[in-house]
Amino acid sequence: MSINAHGEFTVDYDGERFGVPSPIEQSHRHERVLRRLLERLEIDSRTGGGLQCHHVVMFHPKAIIDRPASKEFDTRNVIKSDQFPSWREQFVERAAGGAKILVAIANLRSFDTIKEWGEKLMRQHRPAPLLDLPEFMQPKRTPEIKPIATSAPSAGSDIEAGKKKLICLHCNAKISYPEGKFCWNNERRFKGGQYCREHQALHS
């Protein structure tokens, strides 16, 4: 995973590089949707207004994250998942301040209230299919290869061709439509073939 100075994300997968949407911007869009949901469910702070949202992007612990200089783009909220406990402690230390602590204390809720909120949110959850993959991870489609027939045409195929061309399968002479229809109506006698009037006698 690479992040450039403009906050653009690039992933390396199966020997190729792909640009992907910014998970940071995606998280901010999720916040707007979540705030509307919280408002509808009447989940808010004691002091009025919506709850505070903070964003962190987590990758697999074994991921390699190539970052720009911190002055160019701040990536301290882009971490590996096993770093979350220490990231949280540092975040709390940075956010700690006289006024902020008073606000946090004023907004403390009971365990029962938090449990009620969690149950409300769970009822709104619609999980996405677990097997859905990003476009760049979708299996590559291989072109369909049609088998090439190498065997000689069967007798059945000769009969079908003869029906279309209205020819006698015995002498290859052209036959009339009534001659062909007579043979088709007596399929068992002529074994699915068609013959001119002269050679129909051979199948009596």
Side-chain angles (χ1 to χ4, degrees), residues 70-104:
S70 58
K71 293 181 179 179
E72 295 178 342
F73 186 77
D74 185 4
T75 62
R76 60 185 169 182
N77 290 345
V78 178
I79 63 174
K80 297 182 181 182
S81 57
D82 58 347
Q83 296 176 309
F84 181 74
S86 58
W87 174 89
R88 181 181 177 279
E89 291 179 4
Q90 295 172 7
F91 175 81
V92 171
E93 290 177 1
R94 291 196 306 268
K100 291 183 178 179
I101 291 178
L102 292 175
V103 172

Side-chain angles (χ1 to χ4, degrees), residues 171-191:
C171 63
N172 289 329
K174 290 185 179 180
I175 62 175
S176 64
Y177 179 76
E179 288 174 323
K181 186 176 181 181
F182 177 79
C183 295
W184 302 336
N185 290 338
N186 295 274
E187 186 175 2
R188 179 176 298 180
R189 173 182 170 185
F190 298 105
K191 298 181 181 180

